[in-house]
Amino acid sequence: MKLTLTCKTSRVLVLALAAMGFSQTAMAEISRGALMATTCYACHGTDGHSAGSIPSIYGYPPEIMIAQMKAFRDGTRPATVMDRHATGYTDEEIKLIAEYLSTLR
Amino acid sequence: MRQMSRRNFLRALSAGGAATALAACGTLPDSRKAKAQVVVIGGGSGGATAAKYLKRFEPSLRVVLIEPNARYFTCYGSNWYLGGLTGMEDLEQTYGALRDRHGVEIIHDTVTAIDRDTRTVHLAGGEQLNYQKLVVSPGIDFRYDTVEGYSRAVAEEIPHAWKAGPQTVTLRRQLEAMPDGGVFAMVVPGNPFRCPPGPYERAGMVAHYFKHHKPRSKIIILDNKEAFSKQGLFMDGWKQLYGDMIEWVPSSQGGQVERMDPATRTVYSDGGLTRFRADVLNFIPPQMAGSIAREAGLADATGWCPVNQLNFQSAMDPDIFVIGDACIAGQMPKSGHSANTQGKTAAAAIVRAMADQDMLALSTVNTCYSLVGPDYGISIAAVYRYTNGEITGVPGSGGVSPADAGPNFRRQEARYTQGWYDSITADIWG
């Protein structure tokens, strides 16, 4: 009797979770890099695909993106606004964002 | 049950055994109701972003967006229309992509009430929607009672044009009908208000129109403050492009308007001692959070909505998130860009909370571009971080465009102004 109930319980659980609208993929955590990258999309387009005159930023090798952001930050690369943005990010944040953007196609 | 996160749900199941499992079963006869559901009120920059990113972060979530209008006109860009640079159709956004590409359910109706006790949203059409989490992004309402002689009815004739749409068109028609040599006066509120650089961009755009069509005309800005966003850059640009056409009057010099005579388009300050008569008058009233947020008890005495600035959860209700111009977001300005960022942050916080994960503190950016002329753009940027309970600018970052930049730099930023518009509107409604 007890065994049967346990079995039923787990089945109810699966059904209940499905009915609540949670899929297995929901269990995957949204990474910090992915979340931080969303702020870039306002100007550079969703997933880094620009809809206009501002450059796209998806798919760059991370080391290139990191080098460019650091060059914006220390003023060695000319910019209109990216220098003012890059100075607000730590090395670690730049790395996380660059690595995530590099995965986008 | 409704509030339970998955981990707690699992815990409850294992602890309570069969009884809990059966109880859970008993709550699921109507699959539509039982589905995890987020309702989003308002299809502007904040709400539309939240709805889209909720689905992007968690495709299985049922997300319902409620917005009265099938066609939405962005407030940003509406000054370019006033200057004759764009048409209203260029500012129009619709909801087809949110529905068809992202799976957001769209209901074009007006919310009449939020019942927080039963977690129900009531619509004018009679429908009721239950929610697990509610995102409230109602934008602004105007305070019609701060200046004697002004009212909601007067605003039909003396447009604010601070929500894009018919009001914007009314103002443009009045400017077109104004004779050369006339006076266009703007009355600008004190902080905080929607789009801090907006009034000054508007002055430049109208000056651009006047320069080419009615060059003897004047523009007077009556300001209820002593300083404004990108002030040095704006005033420098006005001088370069429009000479003495634009005059800015701070509050201490008579800019603080106290009374208005709508019939003669005259405004009074300094206890009636100072008086300005305009041919076209653009009165931008002081503002507060949209009525649905205030009526639901989500605003404080300031008229704006306090939130946990980490995740935009209402200080009044843990199941409600308030984003966009309506919320109090530390140092973030009330801008479309901020609303877009806040929509993503709230969406991530909701999805993470449902997976029983705490919200991460994020660094986010805001960039407000403004046009002084068609080929003359300027910007203010900032990087914001949540620290010690508040959103503040990261020291050493951000700031305005360089004061000594040449014409190529200004032209490039004008190009990026349009580029920003194209990308952000695609990120929100595309």
Side-chain angles (χ1 to χ4, degrees), chain B residues 141-199:
Chain B
D141 269 359
F142 298 107
R143 295 180 182 271
Y144 291 102
D145 57 354
T146 55
V147 164
E148 193 188 330
Y150 185 64
S151 67
R152 190 185 290 267
V154 167
E156 296 295 315
E157 288 299 311
I158 296 179
H160 50 73
W162 218 241
K163 290 184 184 182
Q167 281 267 318
T168 321
V169 176
T170 299
L171 181 55
R172 171 72 191 179
R173 289 195 178 136
Q174 291 183 0
L175 291 167
E176 285 170 350
M178 191 188 89
D180 188 14
V183 173
F184 170 54
M186 299 174 63
V187 180
V188 179
N191 296 320
F193 66 104
R194 161 178 284 183
C195 192

Side-chain angles (χ1 to χ4, degrees), chain B residues 173-231:
Chain B
R173 289 195 178 136
Q174 291 183 0
L175 291 167
E176 285 170 350
M178 191 188 89
D180 188 14
V183 173
F184 170 54
M186 299 174 63
V187 180
V188 179
N191 296 320
F193 66 104
R194 161 178 284 183
C195 192
Y200 315 98
E201 181 188 64
R202 175 169 295 178
M205 287 290 93
V206 173
H208 169 74
Y209 167 67
F210 283 172
K211 186 178 174 178
H212 293 277
H213 295 92
K214 3 200 117 162
R216 294 188 295 115
S217 307
K218 294 287 289 181
I219 299 171
I220 299 174
I221 305 168
L222 302 168
D223 211 329
N224 204 349
K225 50 189 170 303
E226 291 298 305
F228 62 88
S229 177
K230 293 183 267 193
Q231 183 169 350

